[in-house]
Structures are given as structure tokens and as C-alpha cells.
Amino acid sequence: MTSTPTSPIDQQRKLVTAVPGPRSQELHARKAAAVSSGVGVGLPAYVERAGGGILVDVDGNHLIDFGSGIAVTTVGNSAPAVVAGVQEQAADFTHTCFMVTPYEEYVAVCEQLADLTPGDHEKRSALFNSGAEAVENAVKVARTFTGRDAVVAFEHGYHGRTNLTMGLTAKSMPYKHGFGPFAPEIYRAPMAYPLRWPGGADRCADEAFRAFVDMVHTQVGETNTAAVIIEPIQGEGGFVVPPPGWLSKVADFCTEHGIVLIADEIQTGFCRTGDWFACDHEGVVPDLITTAKGIAGGLPLAGVTGRAEMMDSVHASGLGGTYGGNPVACAAALGAIRTMREQDLCARAKEVESIFLSRLDQLRAKYDVIADVRGRGAMLAVELTAGAGDLTPNAALTGAVNKLCHEQGLVTLTCGTFGNVFRFLPPLSSPDHLLEEGLDIFEDAFARATAS
Ligand SMILES: Cc1ncc(COP(=O)(O)O)c(C=O)c1O
């Protein structure tokens, strides 16, 4: 399959001013006076229009998008089916609150979630506004179903910024610093992180699993553990891909001990990794799965989907919220999901993977500061270190490359507990030539940053 641009926006990078340009800078000055400085901005180029693989800023620059608004616009910005769904639904009605007077779109999204998520058991879903809210509700379901309190999360994990999800999130700065106290009964197990596993990548799967089991047994107690929450590929923590076999061992352990396995697929879900969900890659069937981001092409929508007996264990009206499953967001999701099916975006993600990996592997052979190239589908990353086998994280180089990419009109993102991971999350609507050109810019930025 080759990419089929579906946007009226010219799919060419074009720089007519410095990035950010003068109009963006004006807006940024207004931002400083009106918006809390606690809300950070990665690249202050203010966007006016976007589509395909391009963001157009207020100065008329056409920027190549390698971020998808943090893995959200998987189907592309303003994808036609999303726009049509939103327009029709907004004209029909914008809100009733599903808990007051329901509507078909909510039910239809839950039917899609039952069909697409891993496993062919009977499922139920509930819809929310954000990923963090979905994670909070997944924990509520797990606690009600099991009658237990404890939740086990992993080092480098990221699950959101609300109070419970801050507690589940591993990294202190900027997500948690100064915002405590955090919710109790959260425990953290070592993550199977092959590059940084003390015993080496080959022993990572077995040893990390052993460490997890020991931790649950000695510090929490299996019968006190309501849920284990896992990102099958970690997102904000550094695109950490656990070694094959580890996830299914954790899943089996949960089943054995009546612990609810929650797969947080908020970043990995909906074709991003080349499968509908990252769990599919290893045939792992979680009990509950949280989704958001890519589900609705940019509209705020999130879901918890899971085994019917778990989801239905909650008392009536125990789950919900004023806006959860808003009809316009649901219509957007139905358009996004239809687009993913019709355009086979899982296959497109695999094509994106091969374009990126062939270039990134070559770059790794050239620069020993690239300690790892990893990821799946259109969720890929390089981890930068001191080089020559020294794994000291190189956040300074990561930041320098990122800045040079931005100046050249390539919207890139970094991540990782140590701030030393460069991640690639292009929309699956990006034509190949933009992916290649973005990689040219990245390579050039890399050459310049390492030369200085
Ligand atoms: C794996 C994962 N879980 C949860 C969240 C939180 O989602 P939101 O920002 O929509 O609350 C994110 C966001 O990046 C995420 O990547």
C-alpha cells in the first residue's frame, strides 16, 4: 500500500520565515500573558491548518509532522471521515449527557471497541474524555471486581496527570514534582528494559519477570493486588519495548492469581504499532484495556473496554461523567475507525516502520551515541547516550537535535525518564516523501549537533 494523501493542504515542506516566525512570536507573547507558564510548549509555531503529514503555521510555514500531537492524529489531521462525522453530528446535537438521555453513537463506538480489542470474550466498554480518566476508571473497575486495593505499575511507566494517574506514573519531573501527596496502594515493579537491564538484554525477560513476581509476593501480596497496569510498549517513559515473552508471562501470572491485567494502550492503540493494539503482537489478551489518543482523530475521547463480568461488576451509575462519550467525539471516532479499516492503516504503519528503520539503523552504524533503535510500526525511537558503550543518557544531544529539527520545520518530540530518547510518531496519512525528507532533516541535525 502506498500513502494516499487525503488533505487539500500541499504536502510539501515550505519555510517562508524562521521557525517560529513573527506572527507565532506575537502569539507566544500573548500566551505568556494569558496562559499559565505551567503549560509548556515544545515548538511555539502556532498552527492554523493541518492535514496529511503537514502542519501549516500562522506565518505560512509548512512543517513536517513527526509527532501527530503526541500519537493522536493517526488518521491525519482533519481526516475527511472525521470532519464529516463531526460536522453532521454537531449539526444534529452536541450534547445530552449519555447518562441522562443516551444516543446511538456512544453504543456504536463501544461495539467497535468490543470488535477490535484483543480477545473474543464478551466485552463491555465505558467512554471518557481523556486517557488519564480512562486509567482512573479502569482501576475503579479492577478494585470493585476483585475487592482488593493494590495496583502495581512499572518503572518508566506513564499513565497521566490526575492524582491517581500521577501516582501510577513513574517520572517525577515534570509530571509529579511538588504535586503530592499521591494516592496510596500503588507499587512499582522493575520494567523489562533490555538496553538498561543490569544482567543484559538476553536475560532481561526472565530476570525482569522474576523481579516482578518477587516484588508482588514480598511487598504487596498476590491476594491484595487488584490490578497490574502495563503499557505494552512504554510511551512517555522512552518507547521501551519489553523483550518477547515478558508480557505474556506477566499476563499468565495475573490470571493465575486473579489479578486484573490492565493494558494501557492509550498511546500504542489504533494501528500505531502496526496492529490494532500492541498486545496483539504477542497474542496477549488483557482483562481491561484503556484507549484514547488515536481513537477519535483528535477529538477528546477515551475508553475502558474489558471482560463483561468485570465491567458489569460496578454498581449502577458508578461509572460516567458529564461529557464522557460526547456525541461529536463519538462521531469522530466512528469516522477515524472507518478510515483505519478502509485504508488498512495497520499495514501502513508497518510500511512506515520499514522506511524509518532502514534509515535509523544506518545512522546507528555511523554514530555510537545511538545506543538503541527501537519501537514498532509508526512508534519508533532512538536512545542517545555518551557513546562507546557508555550508557550515560545524553539529554543534551537529544535536546540539541530536537531544536535543530524544529528550526528546519520538522516537528519532533523527545521522551524518556532521562530525556534522552528521540521519538517518531508521524501521522499514517503522511506521504512517503515527507517521511524521507523528515529523516533527511533529522540526519542533518544529528550531523551538525554531534560536530559541534
Ligand atoms: C500510555 C498513556 N497512558 C495515559 C496517558 C494519559 O492520557 P491523557 O493525556 O489523554 O490524559 C498517556 C498520554 O500520553 C499515555 O501515553
Side-chain angles (χ1 to χ4, degrees):
M1 198 193 95
T2 51
S3 53
T4 40
T6 48
S7 171
I9 294 172
D10 185 20
Q11 296 297 299
Q12 300 296 332
R13 181 178 69 115
K14 188 169 72 178
L15 297 188
V16 294
T17 69
V19 179
R23 291 205 55 217
S24 277
Q25 288 179 30
E26 270 170 41
L27 285 170
H28 209 48
R30 280 174 53 196
K31 185 249 175 202
V35 180
S36 163
S37 59
V39 182
V41 167
L43 167 56
Y46 283 69
V47 173
E48 203 168 60
R49 288 178 301 135
I54 291 285
L55 305 174
V56 184
D57 74 14
V58 289
D59 291 285
N61 297 303
H62 279 48
L63 314 173
I64 298 177
D65 184 10
F66 270 12
S68 298
I70 320 188
V72 170
T73 52
T74 304
V75 293
N77 246 297
S78 301
V82 172
V83 173
V86 166
Q87 286 174 337
E88 279 165 31
Q89 183 56 47
D92 285 348
F93 67 96
T94 47
H95 176 81
T96 61
C97 185
F98 189 76
M99 300 183 304
V100 178
T101 46
Y103 38 87
E104 182 178 352
E105 291 75 10
Y106 188 119
V107 178
V109 170
C110 295
E111 287 168 348
Q112 292 291 326
L113 282 165
D115 186 37
L116 293 169
T117 53
D120 51 16
H121 49 280
E122 204 181 333
K123 297 173 198 159
R124 303 280 187 272
S125 293
L127 302 181
F128 305 96
N129 304 294
S130 68
E133 206 188 340
V135 170
E136 293 250 357
N137 279 278
V139 171
K140 280 158 64 173
V141 171
R143 284 180 169 156
T144 308
F145 179 72
T146 58
R148 306 172 182 176
D149 295 334
V151 181
V152 175
F154 289 87
E155 287 173 357
H156 310 286
Y158 181 87
H159 300 287
R161 295 169 180 259
T162 55
N163 187 265
L164 175 60
T165 59
M166 271 194 295
L168 294 169
T169 290
K171 187 173 171 175
S172 173
M173 189 59 108
Y175 308 125
K176 303 166 74 166
H177 177 78
F179 297 150
F182 305 111
E185 286 307 310
I186 292 171
Y187 299 85
R188 198 167 306 287
M191 176 62 189
Y193 190 160
L195 179 73
R196 296 189 176 276
W197 190 256
D202 290 346
R203 288 163 49 185
C204 179
D206 287 346
E207 291 185 0
F209 175 64
R210 212 50 262 160
F212 157 76
V213 168
D214 289 349
M215 184 279 206
V216 173
H217 184 68
T218 57
Q219 295 181 39
V220 195
E222 292 84 347
T223 54
N224 300 317
T225 308
V228 168
I229 182 162
I230 293 184
E231 296 159 88
I233 297 178
Q234 288 185 322
E236 305 306 298
F239 282 28
V240 178
V241 185
W246 176 82
L247 187 59
S248 41
K249 281 178 201 243
V250 173
D252 291 347
F253 174 85
C254 289
T255 305
E256 188 187 334
H257 295 285
I259 298 168
V260 175
L261 178 67
I262 305 172
D264 181 346
E265 293 243 21
I266 284 165
Q267 188 149 169
T268 48
F270 286 100
C271 304
R272 181 51 58 185
T273 63
D275 289 290
W276 278 98
F277 294 94
C279 280
D280 293 331
H281 188 75
E282 284 202 56
V284 168
V285 178
D287 299 308
L288 302 179
I289 181 165
T290 54
T291 53
K293 290 191 184 276
I295 188 175
L299 276 283
L301 188 73
V304 181
T305 302
R307 296 184 186 281
E309 65 275 20
M310 294 183 181
M311 295 296 292
D312 286 346
S313 69
V314 179
H315 48 276
S317 299
L319 303 177
T322 305
Y323 295 111
N326 168 272
V328 180
C330 285
L334 295 172
I337 292 168
R338 196 165 66 247
T339 305
M340 291 179 207
R341 287 184 191 272
E342 285 173 4
Q343 298 184 4
D344 192 0
L345 291 188
C346 288
R348 177 63 188 154
K350 288 185 176 137
E351 288 179 352
V352 170
E353 173 182 316
S354 66
I355 292 171
F356 272 76
L357 286 189
S358 68
R359 300 278 300 265
L360 295 176
D361 283 337
Q362 280 173 33
L363 210 61
R364 180 197 202 171
K366 206 161 142 193
Y367 296 100
D368 67 1
V369 288
I370 300 181
D372 203 9
V373 174
R374 59 179 180 248
R376 273 209 304 272
M379 181 174 179
L380 299 163
V382 295
E383 176 159 355
L384 307 187
T385 59
D390 177 349
L391 293 184
T392 306
N394 199 339
L397 177 62
T398 312
V401 174
N402 200 37
K403 186 164 178 287
L404 289 170
C405 289
H406 290 177
E407 285 169 9
Q408 292 306 310
L410 177 64
V411 181
T412 45
L413 303 172
T414 62
C415 65
T417 300
F418 315 110
N420 67 325
V421 178
F422 213 96
R423 55 172 155 172
F424 304 98
L425 289 163
L428 297 176
S429 54
S430 288
D432 289 359
H433 72 268
L434 286 182
L435 303 178
E436 297 283 6
E437 189 179 354
L439 284 161
D440 290 343
I441 293 169
F442 178 68
E443 276 181 27
D444 184 56
F446 214 85
R448 286 163 58 203
T450 47
S452 58

